[in-house]
Amino acid sequence: MGIRLAQQNNIIPVIITGRESYCVTRRAKELDIYDVHQNIKDKVSKAKEVLEKYHLTFDEVAYIGDDLNDLDTMLLCKERGVPNDGEDSIKKVATFICPRNGGYGAVRDFINYLIDKNKKSE
């Protein structure tokens, strides 16, 4: 439901992951997430490609990550979320630490945070 809520609020979900998994492909398809990039070693470059596609800048991007391979990309983004069980060094750069762990509602927590923050700034 969190992804659907994001889409209803003009948030474009994109997956950029260093791993490759059929489960990610299947779940993304179920949720109508069209930008799925797996087995990505250079997440910054891939993020730049995605931003170019949508004519966005990093100042317009929110990113949730949980480990060191997310750090460089996160530092470029305006909003940076991390699951409660994320790496401590990633938590230090986060603008929002999710109350829940990855796989247990952290993405929904971050989406709720983004939507609430946007409503307050209107």
Side-chain angles (χ1 to χ4, degrees):
M1 189 63 199
I3 296 298
R4 297 282 186 220
L5 192 60
Q7 292 163 328
Q8 292 167 5
N9 283 274
N10 298 316
I11 297 171
I12 302 165
V14 175
I15 297 172
I16 301 174
T17 179
R19 294 181 282 174
E20 187 149 353
S21 167
Y22 171 75
C23 293
V24 170
T25 303
R26 186 186 66 200
R27 188 70 175 132
K29 186 175 180 180
E30 291 171 356
L31 294 171
D32 298 320
I33 300 174
Y34 302 110
D35 270 309
V36 180
H37 309 276
Q38 298 188 69
N39 201 25
I40 302 299
K41 302 304 177 219
D42 184 353
K43 291 185 179 186
V44 170
S45 292
K46 183 53 71 177
K48 287 178 180 178
E49 285 178 33
V50 172
L51 293 179
E52 190 173 307
K53 174 182 176 179
Y54 291 105
H55 308 287
L56 297 170
T57 67
F58 280 107
D59 285 338
E60 300 169 286
V61 172
Y63 186 103
I64 185 167
D66 65 352
D67 216 329
L68 296 176
N69 63 338
D70 295 303
L71 182 61
D72 291 340
T73 312
M74 287 180 77
L75 289 172
L76 297 171
C77 298
K78 181 176 181 176
E79 294 290 342
R80 302 173 297 277
V82 63
N84 193 47
D85 61 345
E87 173 63 34
D88 286 341
S89 59
I90 301 301
K91 287 181 177 180
K92 290 178 185 174
V93 303
T95 57
F96 181 76
I97 298 173
C98 304
R100 292 183 275 191
N101 291 341
Y104 294 94
V107 170
R108 175 67 181 265
D109 291 338
F110 191 45
I111 290 167
N112 288 343
Y113 161 78
L114 295 170
I115 292 169
D116 289 346
K117 186 171 183 177
N118 188 48
K119 285 180 182 176
K120 289 177 185 174
S121 68
E122 290 178 344

